[in-house]
Amino acid sequence: MANESVGVLFKLYCLTVMTLIAATYTVALRYTRTVTSDLYFSTTAVCITEVIKLLLSLVMLLREAGDLGRCKTVLVNHIFRSPKELLKLSVPSVVYAIQNNMAFIALSNLDAAVYQVTYQLKIPCTALCTVLMLNRSLSRLQWFSVFMLCGGVTLVQWTPPESTKVQVEQNPFLGFVAIAIAVLCSGFAGVYFEKVLKSSDTSLWVRNIQMYLSGILVTLIGVYMTDGTKVLEKGFFYGYTSWVCFVIFLASVGGLYTSVVVKYTDNIMKGFSAAAAIVLSTVASVILFGLQITTTFITGGMLVCVSIYLYGLPKQDTTKVQKADADTTKQKLLAI
């Protein structure tokens, strides 16, 4: 839970917005990658997303600093005079750039609902990275939920449902490999960034700016190496439509909004949000892409939703229970 006390309505607002962003982003991105019109370059979309995130973080830092002078001082001290910190944050920048590009490849070959369910593998990946990198422990219930989640994803991928309204050629195996890479990147980068944040009292927005500066450089290199010739020939914004701009907007705002959600809500609410996003993505996929729901998909999706809820349950503090049991035993012995 967050340290600051907020009302139930605000928490519900956070939950609703987070759910809508997660579901809408996957469905909209899937739509832009499966239409028959001129296909845009995903590498340029990822690069623009990083630029927008940087601008939004600068605005938030200015708001936090209170005035332009303080903001400028913070930027000089933490950006221009701290090359080591920029180098440190370049690690998650590279990983996140790979993750974002893999998301485009995955949603070009997998339905939004299948993607949404399979992407929840980030939970066990993040859990493993947390144990290894932050020396934390997981409860038995959390380990059980991790295995349940993996079982649910296996069922979904065993006989993936087909979309009847998608006219482009797809490669489900390539999509699964892409989402597997994205999951690994998400788990490592998230835990690494958390470790960097907790290693000092530097502002979250300063850390974001450091990371996004590196991210812009990394994604520009990606544009040059992957689509450089085509971009020079057709233009940086080739194939961009209002839907593509909407996807970029969701990706930019969603990444920053997550920090607000983490601050003011708990794991249970985030679990409900993820489960609701799966349901919304499934309904939208049925309507927009003609997704044919199978029994294995429904079973696997339900297992994933339940496992997310179980994983988010707070750990029980057994120390007080053990102490109470010891005191009771001691009283019984004294009575005897």
Side-chain angles (χ1 to χ4, degrees), residues 57 61 78-79 82 84-86 88-89 92-93 193 195-213:
S57 295
L61 179 62
H78 292 279
I79 305 298
S82 302
K84 291 184 178 180
E85 295 299 315
L86 286 175
K88 186 188 298 183
L89 269 297
S93 297
F193 188 60
K195 188 173 183 179
V196 172
L197 282 177
K198 294 185 176 180
S199 64
S200 67
D201 56 354
T202 306
S203 167
L204 168 65
W205 304 114
V206 171
R207 290 302 191 190
N208 279 340
I209 292 170
Q210 292 171 337
M211 185 168 63
Y212 296 145
L213 282 172

Side-chain angles (χ1 to χ4, degrees), residues 322-336:
Q322 292 174 354
K323 184 178 179 180
D325 291 341
D327 292 340
T328 303
T329 304
K330 184 176 179 180
Q331 291 176 1
K332 288 182 178 180
L333 290 174
L334 291 174
I336 294 172

Side-chain angles (χ1 to χ4, degrees), residues 98 103 109 201 205 213 226 256 259 273 281 325:
I98 296 174
N109 295 279
D201 56 354
W205 304 114
L213 282 172
T226 306
L256 296 177
S259 61
S273 175
S281 298
D325 291 341

Side-chain angles (χ1 to χ4, degrees), residues 90-113:
S90 66
V91 175
S93 297
V94 174
V95 179
Y96 276 131
I98 296 174
Q99 174 195 337
N100 294 331
N101 280 284
M102 288 300 105
F104 279 87
I105 296 176
L107 282 166
S108 299
N109 295 279
L110 295 174
D111 188 82

Side-chain angles (χ1 to χ4, degrees), residues 29-46:
L29 179 53
R30 169 69 172 173
Y31 177 78
T32 62
R33 302 303 292 179
T34 54
V35 293
T36 56
S37 60
D38 297 331
L39 196 61
Y40 62 98
F41 304 116
S42 60
T43 51
T44 62
V46 173

